[in-house]
């Protein structure tokens, strides 16, 4: 398996623009996670899905952030409008009960908002 | 809210065992102890987890005290590639609402 795939790997955008980050989980995994990592706040869980359904989005910082999982093989994290403080590395991870809930992380998307 | 306490950094000589401690004095009965690590600029990598018994896999050993208030991750023969930030996390097995990575321990393996 290719592992968790994230795109783009790097994104530079201007403040106010819409940003969409994409994630393809490992085939067969039924749980998907979005994390954000910054120097100040470390690695934070934003939202996670079970069987394509959002279970807990309490980590989503504000309404500018939204996440969807239209099917088992694809998820998006959208920021609209983006702000400089959204600059961070965003990780997607997936797992399942067959993996004993070990989370497999993607390589991350480094977002820079100018 | 931090549920674990780890040293900020540790050094280890290449080829020696690295012992990374973690305090989790408020751990609940249904919470597991997980260890992940993050090598610079990569996504975190799962290492091992356990409930109350000691666990061993191809990467490491996990020693959990009898009262479960602390644990130690052991890398038996550290290599330069083990230089990373190591995170100790306590969480129920099926509930990720409080899957909190914290600041971790930066392990520096030196030649």
């Amino acid at each position: 398996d290719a592992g968790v795939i994230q795109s783009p790997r790097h994104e530079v955008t201007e403040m106010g623009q819409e940003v969409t980050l994409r994630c393809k989980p490992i085939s067969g995994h039924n749980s998907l996670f979005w994390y954000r990592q910054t120097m100040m706040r470390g690695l934070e869980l934003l939202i996670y899905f079970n069987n394509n359904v959002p279970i807990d989005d309490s980590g989503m910082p504000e309404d500018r952030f939204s996440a969807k999982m239209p099917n088992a093989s694809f998820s998006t994290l959208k920021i609209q409008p983006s702000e400089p403080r959204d600059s961070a590395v965003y990780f997607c991870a997936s797992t399942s009960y067959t993996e004993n809930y070990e989370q497999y992380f993607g390589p991350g998307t480094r977002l820079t908002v100018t | 809210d931090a549920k674990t306490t780890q040293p900020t950094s540790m050094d280890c000589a290449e080829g020696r065992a690295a012992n990374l401690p973690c305090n989790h004095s408020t751990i609940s009965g249904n919470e597991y102890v997980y260890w992940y690590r993050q090598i610079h600029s990569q996504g975190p990598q799962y290492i091992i987890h356990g409930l109350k018994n000691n666990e061993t896999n191809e990467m490491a050993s996990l020693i959990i005290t009898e009262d479960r208030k602390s644990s130690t991750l052991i890398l038996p023969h550290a290599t330069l590639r083990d230089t990373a930030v190591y995170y100790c996390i306590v969480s129920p097995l099926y509930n990720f609402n409080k899957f909190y990575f914290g600041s971790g321990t930066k392990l520096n393996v030196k030649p």
Side-chain angles (χ1 to χ4, degrees):
Chain A
D1 199 308
V4 175
I5 298 172
Q6 292 187 246
S7 64
R9 294 292 310 277
H10 301 273
E11 177 79 32
V12 180
T13 190
E14 292 183 347
M15 181 175 62
Q17 296 298 306
E18 177 180 298
V19 175
T20 299
L21 310 182
R22 298 173 174 79
C23 176
K24 176 179 170 56
I26 292 174
S27 177
H29 285 187
N30 66 331
S31 295
L32 182 140
F33 309 80
W34 282 101
Y35 289 87
R36 177 174 70 174
Q37 186 169 34
T38 61
M39 289 293 293
M40 290 293 294
R41 299 178 65 87
L43 195 60
E44 305 173 278
L45 177 63
L46 300 178
I47 185 172
Y48 77 95
F49 296 81
N50 275 352
N51 298 316
N52 312 337
V53 176
I55 301 301
D56 182 21
D57 64 355
S58 60
M60 297 285 263
E62 46 195 278
D63 292 345
R64 298 184 297 106
F65 286 69
S66 62
K68 294 183 179 180
M69 192 164 186
N71 57 63
S73 60
F74 184 66
S75 177
T76 59
L77 178 67
K78 185 177 294 186
I79 308 172
Q80 165 63 13
S82 58
E83 297 182 1
R85 59 191 169 127
D86 302 330
S87 297
V89 180
Y90 291 81
F91 289 103
C92 175
S94 70
T95 189
S96 72
Y97 74 94
T98 58
E99 303 279 8
N100 213 8
Y101 290 102
E102 166 190 339
Q103 295 183 48
Y104 290 79
F105 283 76
T109 295
R110 181 173 296 276
L111 173 65
T112 302
V113 183
T114 61
Chain B
D1 295 336
K3 297 189 69 172
T4 63
T5 303
Q6 300 178 251
T8 302
S9 65
M10 294 182 63
D11 291 337
C12 177
E14 188 177 20
R16 304 297 294 269
N19 297 281
L20 293 92
C22 179
N23 287 323
H24 32 79
S25 58
T26 61
I27 191 170
S28 300
N30 68 336
E31 289 181 322
Y32 286 68
V33 180
Y34 291 82
W35 284 85
Y36 280 74
R37 73 180 183 183
Q38 187 173 26
I39 296 170
H40 180 62
S41 78
Q42 297 182 19
Q45 176 190 24
Y46 167 86
I47 301 173
I48 198 167
H49 76 282
L51 183 61
K52 53 184 176 181
N53 297 323
N54 297 337
E55 301 287 344
T56 295
N57 62 21
E58 65 278 4
M59 287 183 68
S61 295
L62 173 60
I63 308 299
I64 303 174
T65 57
E66 191 170 343
D67 63 8
R68 302 211 320 127
K69 293 185 177 182
S70 66
S71 61
T72 301
L73 178 74
I74 301 173
L75 307 179
H77 305 286
T79 71
L80 298 179
R81 289 178 298 178
D82 292 321
T83 293
V85 177
Y86 288 76
Y87 297 98
C88 170
I89 303 156
V90 293
S91 174
L93 186 61
Y94 306 111
N95 184 343
F96 297 96
N97 294 36
K98 301 299 182 184
F99 208 84
Y100 180 72
F101 274 79
S103 301
T105 296
K106 176 65 189 303
L107 176 67
N108 298 298
V109 181
K110 300 186 174 181

